[in-house]
Amino acid sequence: MTPAPDAAAKPPKRSKPSVRERFDALRNLKPFLGQIWATSRPLTLATLSLRLVRALLPVVMLYVGKLIIDEALRLVGLGAGLSSMREWWDSGLLTPLLWLLAIEFGLAVLSDVLGRLVSLFDQLLSELFTNATSVRLMEHAATLDLEDFEDSELQDRLDRARRQTMGRMTLMSQLFGQAQDTVTIIAFAAGLVLYAPWLILLLAVALVPAFLGEAHFNALNYSLNFSWTPERRELEYIRQTGASVETAKEVKIFGLHGFLIGRFRELSQKFYLANRSLAIRRAGWGSVLTALGTLGYYVAYAYIAWRTVRGEFTIGDLTFLAGSFRRLRQLLEGLLVGFSQVAGQALYLDDLFSFFEIEPEITSPAAPRPFPSPVREGFVFEGVGFRYPGAERWAVRNLSFTLQAGEVLALVGENGAGKTTLVKLLARLYDPDEGRILLDGHDLRDYDLDVLRQNIGVIFQDFVRYHLTAAENIAVGQIEARHDRQRIVEAARRSLADEVIAKLPKGYDQVIGKRFKNGVDLSGGEWQKVAIARAYMRDAQLLILDEPTAALDARSEFEVFQRFKELSAGKTAVLISHRFSSVRMADRILVLEQGQLEAQGTHEELLAQRGRYAELFELQASGYR
């Protein structure tokens, strides 16, 4: 967890985006709309077509309303001597009025139906787009380097991108809605131009201040959300830590609830106060600037009323013009404010599209070498050095040794000696900064990355506990074979996980872990046996166990490693363990110290050298006496 900010400290701020930056962000709308079109062309065409029809209905309905008023007033002058409904009906004078009322009723029903269909299509398109974007996000994340995921800045970018997969669909509806409103505005404006063209200019001038104010506060809101991304990730982490099955035991034992709740309250209060300050200023200035638009409307309304009094407009004209001006004002205000919001949301799209622009550094060559099957010579480290990004200390350096094909190699050393780093380099999760690693005489970089990893099975100490069925937990070692139950059962037998699974209520079909209903949790040692089964499931040429048996007692670990050596006969294997009783079964042992190779040999040879290995072995052996 990142440390809580000091009470007086403020999160790092991103300066408010300039006008140019906001307009530049509009370039994101083209690929955004392109993705929507690619998601479902039929739905996109359907919603746009319906919106086009719906855009013209307000003008038509308002004009029909004008005709109804004018017709009603005409009938008032013709209705002398007609008192009962029957007399009116028989006279035939009501027919035009009834037709107009029927037309308006039909238009109202049509508008409602079209509105519901547009909402339906928008909802369906939104879900499809969200799902498609989420898939694309996961696919792209899968191509990135491990280094990227260990970078806190990229974690912030990933968090912002993940939120955009869910949060930007309002932008789709807004863009389509603005296109619909634009058509309606053109239709209303055409009617007003015929009567008083200068009213359009008055309306535009009155609405500009509200538009500029909205644009200003949208930019401030984006800046606030951007600068608070690390704190928001911390809030989510604290929320998860304070209420999850994975942390419940320690939280209860150590009484951490008060600490976590206090930390959450402190940080969330700061975020709330920052948001509240911006919201209050936005509401205050928004009210003032919107009042200018209202003033412009009533100036125009008074002008239209005056010309009606003078007899230049009919009562129907007054109704039509006043209604047109009111709707036009609302639509223009919405369009200008909406444009500002679109520009603001386009800034958020930068978070999504900029994530997709991140390119991995560890990739396959354009023309990879065929992967050796079987591996004949093995792996050779030639002067390999590596340090993690941003670190001053080398994790490993000047490493030169050979891992021969079919050999079982053990790595020992104290914490931080470079054992796990060496494994990551073998699997090309990282590339060396110095030297190179050869496989059968060729640099690892010459081979296809996916094929290389398909031939390497690694189980780390911090293996993932998937909240899936027992069979699926094993099958992740070779997910393409997840339907091969016989292979899964055999992998479980090899790792001794079959004994664990036999006790489960539903056997291999039992969901393990307590995240979901009816899930059954396992002990740490039982989880480890399931995880080790993944290595057997993979049936790779190089098998690596990186301290995956830490939760097992010494005897159980010895049995697992002994079984591993027997069952992996003919394969190349790497074992990492702190227990010397287990590593002594390896064909050769490498002793690492501060990232460098200090000694190598068999268990007996290293004991005879009376070096660090012998010292550590004696220290551990004395603990069992």
Side-chain angles (χ1 to χ4, degrees):
M1 186 193 311
T2 57
D6 185 84
K10 295 181 180 179
K13 300 294 181 185
R14 174 175 179 170
S15 58
K16 181 171 73 71
S18 66
V19 174
R20 179 174 180 177
E21 287 176 324
R22 279 176 269 166
F23 273 96
D24 285 346
L26 294 176
R27 72 185 186 280
N28 294 318
L29 296 182
K30 182 178 180 180
F32 176 68
L33 291 172
Q35 287 187 9
I36 293 173
W37 175 252
T39 298
S40 176
R41 295 184 180 183
L43 283 176
T44 305
L45 284 174
T47 189
L48 289 176
S49 300
L50 293 178
R51 285 180 183 277
L52 178 61
V53 175
R54 198 161 181 252
L56 300 173
L57 289 180
V59 181
V60 176
M61 290 180 68
L62 195 59
Y63 187 76
V64 172
K66 160 196 154 34
L67 296 178
I68 289 174
I69 292 173
D70 285 342
E71 180 65 15
L73 291 175
R74 187 182 71 84
L75 292 177
V76 169
L78 297 176
L82 300 176
S83 56
S84 67
M85 176 62 72
R86 181 62 179 267
E87 291 176 334
W88 277 99
W89 183 266
D90 292 341
S91 70
L93 294 174
L94 292 178
T95 301
L97 180 61
L98 292 175
W99 273 110
L100 289 172
L101 289 171
I103 291 172
E104 184 168 295
F105 171 74
L107 292 173
V109 171
L110 178 61
S111 178
D112 181 65
V113 171
L114 291 179
R116 293 180 183 277
L117 288 175
V118 165
S119 296
L120 171 63
F121 293 154
D122 278 2
Q123 179 182 353
L124 297 177
L125 189 56
S126 172
E127 289 193 24
L128 287 175
F129 177 84
T130 298
N131 294 340
T133 307
S134 297
V135 168
R136 185 183 174 197
L137 186 75
M138 290 188 288
E139 288 176 339
H140 186 69
T143 69
L144 301 183
D145 301 330
L146 180 61
E147 171 188 339
D148 295 324
F149 288 96
E150 293 176 345
D151 178 16
S152 61
E153 182 179 345
L154 182 126
Q155 286 296 313
D156 290 342
R157 296 176 70 177
L158 176 59
D159 184 67
R160 288 194 294 267
R162 191 183 293 116
R163 289 202 307 273
Q164 302 323 311
T165 62
M166 300 293 293
R168 290 309 107 202
M169 283 319 297
T170 54
L171 177 58
M172 182 199 76
S173 297
Q174 192 167 19
L175 284 171
F176 289 171
Q178 284 190 312
Q180 175 182 322
D181 289 345
T182 300
V183 175
T184 307
I185 286 170
I186 293 172
F188 273 128
L192 281 179
V193 165
L194 295 176
Y195 290 92
W198 67 273
L199 293 179
I200 303 294
L201 180 62
L202 171 65
L203 191 58
V205 171
L207 292 178
V208 165
F211 163 69
L212 294 177
E214 191 69 20
H216 172 74
F217 284 106
N218 277 333
L220 288 179
N221 187 66
Y222 172 74
S223 179
L224 176 68
N225 281 318
F226 185 95
S227 62
W228 274 85
T229 300
E231 285 74 16
R232 220 174 1 218
R233 279 206 304 121
E234 183 177 349
L235 280 172
E236 184 57 35
Y237 173 74
I238 297 172
R239 184 188 292 115
Q240 178 69 17
T241 303
S244 71
V245 64
E246 290 85 359
T247 60
K249 292 191 294 292
E250 283 205 8
V251 168
K252 287 182 177 294
I253 291 296
F254 295 128
L256 298 180
H257 279 105
F259 166 74
L260 292 171
I261 291 171
R263 178 72 63 87
F264 185 88
R265 281 177 173 163
E266 177 187 0
L267 198 55
S268 62
Q269 179 69 6
K270 290 178 183 177
F271 193 29
Y272 164 75
L273 291 176
N275 271 314
R276 185 183 70 177
S277 174
L278 180 59
I280 290 174
R281 285 186 290 146
R282 185 172 198 159
W285 280 104
S287 299
V288 172
L289 297 175
T290 302
L292 294 176
T294 304
L295 176 63
Y297 166 70
Y298 278 100
V299 169
Y301 194 14
Y303 172 76
I304 295 170
W306 167 245
R307 292 192 62 178
T308 303
V309 170
R310 292 176 57 186
E312 297 178 27
F313 294 153
T314 66
I315 299 298
D317 291 335
L318 171 64
T319 305
F320 175 72
L321 290 174
S324 294
F325 195 84
R326 182 175 64 253
R327 288 296 306 277
L328 193 56
R329 176 218 166 187
Q330 294 171 345
L331 289 168
L332 275 173
E333 186 177 59
L335 191 65
L336 291 174
V337 170
F339 176 79
S340 172
Q341 292 173 344
V342 165
Q345 292 199 51
L347 287 169
Y348 286 100
L349 284 176
D350 259 344
D351 297 329
L352 181 63
F353 291 132
S354 67
F355 177 78
F356 288 137
E357 291 172 359
I358 301 173
E359 295 292 338
E361 295 180 3
I362 299 177
T363 58
S364 299
R369 294 187 59 83
F371 196 87
S373 183
V375 173
R376 299 186 182 279
E377 300 174 22
F379 297 82
V380 178
F381 279 61
E382 291 185 348
V384 170
F386 172 78
R387 59 183 170 189
Y388 291 96
E392 295 182 3
R393 175 179 171 273
W394 289 83
V396 294
R397 200 169 196 190
N398 300 323
L399 278 184
S400 295
F401 67 90
T402 299
L403 171 58
Q404 297 172 359
E407 180 182 30
V408 177
L409 184 71
L411 302 178
V412 299
E414 299 181 84
N415 291 335
K419 302 184 297 296
T420 297
T421 299
L422 189 151
V423 170
K424 291 177 180 178
L425 292 171
L426 267 175
R428 275 205 79 194
L429 295 175
Y430 288 100
D431 279 336
D433 295 319
E434 295 179 347
R436 59 178 184 164
I437 303 173
L438 305 178
L439 170 58
D440 279 6
H442 300 280
D443 197 306
L444 279 187
R445 299 180 181 91
D446 294 340
Y447 297 102
D448 181 86
L449 188 58
D450 291 333
V451 176
L452 169 67
R453 291 176 180 168
Q454 287 169 9
N455 281 274
I456 299 178
V458 186
I459 303 299
F460 291 103
Q461 180 178 0
D462 55 347
F463 58 84
V464 178
R465 303 185 181 195
Y466 296 98
H467 294 264
L468 304 170
T469 66
E472 290 168 333
N473 258 279
I474 296 173
V476 296
Q478 189 70 44
I479 197 63
E480 297 81 4
R482 62 188 179 276
H483 301 301
D484 188 344
R485 180 57 62 91
Q486 182 177 353
R487 183 170 177 174
I488 292 171
V489 171
E490 177 61 18
R493 185 190 66 79
R494 291 184 171 194
S495 71
L496 303 178
D498 57 339
E499 301 170 359
V500 176
I501 297 172
K503 301 175 184 177
L504 298 176
K506 297 181 181 178
Y508 286 91
D509 296 319
Q510 175 67 54
V511 174
I512 53 180
K514 297 295 291 182
R515 181 178 294 271
F516 303 116
K517 184 179 179 181
N518 300 324
V520 175
D521 205 6
L522 304 179
S523 69
E526 290 172 331
W527 269 111
Q528 287 183 319
K529 290 179 179 178
V530 170
I532 293 171
R534 297 169 191 166
Y536 292 117
M537 182 73 186
R538 197 162 186 79
D539 194 26
Q541 294 199 65
L542 172 62
L543 298 176
I544 304 173
L545 297 187
D546 183 6
E547 299 193 66
T549 56
L552 298 177
D553 57 51
R555 180 183 295 276
S556 297
E557 182 187 67
F558 181 83
E559 291 174 354
V560 168
F561 277 169
Q562 183 67 41
R563 192 178 184 87
F564 177 78
K565 184 178 181 182
E566 293 171 357
L567 295 173
S568 59
K571 295 183 180 296
T572 307
V574 176
L575 304 179
I576 300 177
S577 174
H578 281 99
R579 293 196 179 106
F580 290 87
S581 58
S582 299
V583 301
R584 66 189 302 173
M585 70 182 67
D587 299 322
R588 191 158 48 98
I589 302 170
L590 301 187
V591 182
L592 297 177
E593 173 61 19
Q594 295 186 359
Q596 296 189 338
L597 180 60
E598 187 174 87
Q600 60 178 308
T602 65
H603 173 71
E604 290 74 17
E605 290 171 346
L606 291 172
L607 284 180
Q609 293 176 18
R610 308 306 300 170
R612 185 177 302 275
Y613 180 87
E615 177 187 350
L616 294 174
F617 178 80
E618 289 298 329
L619 284 173
Q620 190 172 106
S622 65
Y624 290 98
R625 295 190 184 117

